[in-house]
Amino acid sequence: MLRVDVKKITALEMARCPNCSHAIDQMGKRTHCQKCNRQLTVLCISCQTNNSLLFSNCMKCDCDFRLIGVEYYSKEVAKLDFDLKEFYRLEELYKKATNLERIWRLTLPSALFLLATPCWFLSNNVWGLLLPFDLAFIGYLIIKIYGKKWATTKVKLPLEYAKHWKAISLEAKRQEVRKDEMEKQLDYYSRELSCFRQKSPDLNQT
Ligand SMILES: [Zn+2]
Ligand SMILES: [Zn+2]
């Protein structure tokens, strides 16, 4: 009977914000007071239960919810970091390939054009006069058709990546945003964990 009473009292105490004594009926996934925004609970990410700042383990699934948070978000950050590093490496190659392709697109047609200019002096018909332009155009077409393939092979970037570059870089942008969020969560749980560990010796004594 006594146990029930103790539970009731703690439940009542938890239901009021210690800062502004605002009555908290339903926390849901909220961790802060609606009125003064003071942090009241820490969410256990493995069972989605809100735990009092005084608890060392989750009241529902008994896990060390701060540590679980740190472990989970460190893994997520590490995974995203790994993927993003690979993307940045490919991005460098992609930039090199694009530059190479641009240089070829500029130089090959003009080189062919110059090569054929003697025709202006040697030939005596209109076809000879047009030859430099024809060759320049052929050079342009060659680079248009094969440029990307050659350039990506030269910098050792798989052609598939170059072809789907827009989608790949969009996905990387999304991953950057996600990594930001995961890092914030990681900071949050790391802070909670170290605060709790600093405080817990006192708590154990009282
Ligand atoms: Zn409050
Ligand atoms: Zn839990």
Side-chain angles (χ1 to χ4, degrees):
M1 282 303 278
L2 196 69
R3 282 178 67 89
V4 176
D5 283 337
V6 170
K7 264 187 188 168
K8 255 186 189 168
I9 289 162
T10 39
L12 273 173
E13 276 172 353
M14 272 182 66
R16 282 201 175 272
C17 170
N19 192 40
C20 69
S21 68
H22 174 69
I24 300 143
D25 44 340
Q26 277 291 310
M27 284 295 284
K29 281 195 178 182
R30 254 186 306 116
T31 54
H32 289 68
C33 169
Q34 270 170 304
K35 204 175 168 193
C36 70
N37 206 33
R38 174 175 171 146
Q39 185 184 8
L40 301 170
T41 58
V42 178
L43 187 71
C44 167
I45 55 164
S46 77
C47 73
Q48 303 296 315
T49 301
N50 263 319
N51 287 287
S52 157
L53 299 176
L54 302 172
F55 295 168
S56 76
N57 285 50
C58 175
M59 60 178 173
K60 192 173 171 194
C61 72
D62 200 38
C63 74
D64 189 341
F65 55 95
R66 295 177 186 84
L67 189 65
I68 294 276
V70 170
E71 283 171 355
Y72 173 78
Y73 289 110
S74 331
K75 264 187 215 150
E76 288 298 298
V77 168
K79 231 190 292 171
L80 288 162
D81 205 44
F82 181 82
D83 287 352
L84 280 168
K85 270 197 184 123
E86 177 62 4
F87 169 76
Y88 296 140
R89 188 183 71 85
L90 294 172
E91 191 181 36
E92 280 306 304
L93 298 181
Y94 182 76
K95 276 183 194 159
K96 271 188 201 163
T98 320
N99 272 337
L100 215 63
E101 200 185 338
R102 192 187 311 135
I103 291 165
W104 288 343
R105 204 187 303 132
L106 290 172
T107 52
L108 188 71
S110 22
L112 289 173
F113 185 90
L114 287 175
L115 226 89
T117 42
C119 294
W120 285 345
F121 307 102
L122 301 172
S123 84
N124 48 13
N125 64 41
V126 71
W127 300 114
L129 294 178
L130 285 177
L131 195 63
F133 297 99
D134 291 342
L135 281 181
F137 185 65
I138 288 168
Y140 165 80
L141 280 184
I142 288 174
I143 295 304
K144 180 125 182 103
I145 297 167
Y146 299 109
K148 189 164 253 141
K149 201 178 163 195
W150 288 345
T152 50
T153 313
K154 185 129 179 78
V155 302
K156 297 193 175 78
L157 174 76
L159 185 61
E160 281 309 298
Y161 283 104
K163 276 185 180 163
H164 301 114
W165 193 253
K166 223 171 216 164
I168 289 170
S169 52
L170 266 180
E171 178 57 25
K173 288 278 164 301
R174 272 196 286 271
Q175 284 184 327
E176 277 171 351
V177 173
R178 195 173 143 75
K179 194 184 151 199
D180 257 21
E181 284 164 14
M182 298 290 112
E183 274 173 343
K184 272 183 205 142
Q185 289 292 334
L186 177 59
D187 279 356
Y188 168 73
Y189 278 98
S190 306
R191 231 180 309 120
E192 287 302 325
L193 185 63
S194 64
C195 280
F196 187 76
R197 281 190 177 161
Q198 276 166 18
K199 268 190 275 171
S200 51
D202 309 337
L203 278 174
N204 292 339
Q205 277 164 22
T206 48

